[in-house]
Amino acid sequence: MRTPHVVVVMGVAGTGKTTIGPLLAAGLGVPYAEGDDFHPPANIAKMSAGTPLDDDDRWPWLDAIGAWAHGRAGLGGVVSSSALKRSYRDRLRSAAPDIVFVHLTGDRELIEDRMSHRQGHFMPTTLLDSQFATLHPLQADEAGVAVDVSGTPEEITARALAALDGLDGSAQPTS
């Protein structure tokens, strides 16, 4: 039996990490951790005020997610994290080398529309441009898959599960 991976569901704000993450975890039979819960209060206050985080803000957050992923090594789990830059993903991999990324992708208009309809989230749509500007898509040497976010949460999750099943160890991002 294959050891379950720790999967990081990544992407810009509004791609559905918080929706798809738990569905993916259920499909894999592993626990889910909400990446936003690892943010210190100062980060949430900064984003709520419409100010993008800088790298100094993100390092402790990424380290906390990495520690959770490390603790799930060999057990499996799913955690959400924007993980927008390669350096952020490298930081996560330094704590948990065998993590796999599911990059939720979609066009800006769809994502902005979804963000504008969600309630009770601290991330305003005004920060979406900075998210896209920061984004470094998965590279060929990174273990992970890219999954389009069009369709229902169930359709997106099914695509993610199929893409993860298709990972053959070559670490090539796929759609």
Side-chain angles (χ1 to χ4, degrees):
M1 184 169 155
R2 175 172 86 164
T3 301
H5 289 289
V6 174
V7 177
V8 176
V9 180
M10 63 167 281
V12 300
T15 53
K17 296 180 295 291
T18 299
T19 300
I20 302 306
L23 293 172
L24 187 59
L28 294 171
V30 297
Y32 171 72
E34 171 54 51
D36 286 341
D37 292 344
F38 293 91
H39 274 298
N43 283 9
I44 297 208
K46 193 171 183 178
M47 289 183 285
S48 295
T51 304
L53 299 180
D54 59 29
D55 286 352
D56 289 336
D57 298 320
R58 287 190 181 95
W59 297 136
W61 173 64
L62 291 165
D63 290 343
I65 291 171
W68 183 88
H70 178 79
R72 295 299 309 167
L75 302 171
V78 175
V79 62
S80 59
S81 170
S82 54
L84 298 177
K85 289 183 180 180
R86 170 69 187 247
S87 61
Y88 304 162
R89 297 188 298 273
D90 289 345
R91 185 114 175 187
L92 291 171
R93 271 191 297 273
S94 73
D98 295 328
I99 60 175
V100 174
F101 293 91
V102 170
H103 180 188
L104 299 179
T105 64
D107 69 46
R108 189 192 184 292
E109 293 76 25
L110 172 65
I111 294 167
E112 182 176 24
D113 182 62
R114 288 184 179 172
M115 282 182 79
S116 69
H117 289 95
R118 66 184 183 180
Q119 296 178 358
H121 196 276
F122 58 82
M123 178 70 85
T125 57
T126 55
L127 290 181
L128 191 55
D129 287 334
S130 74
Q131 293 258 304
F132 273 105
T134 301
L135 176 64
H136 300 164
L138 286 175
Q139 297 175 11
D141 65 334
E142 294 184 90
V145 296
V147 177
D148 182 73
V149 297
S150 60
T152 67
E154 294 75 19
E155 291 167 337
I156 298 163
T157 302
R159 281 196 297 274
L161 288 167
L164 287 170
D165 282 345
L167 271 181
D168 61 6
S170 65
Q172 296 295 320
T174 61
S175 296

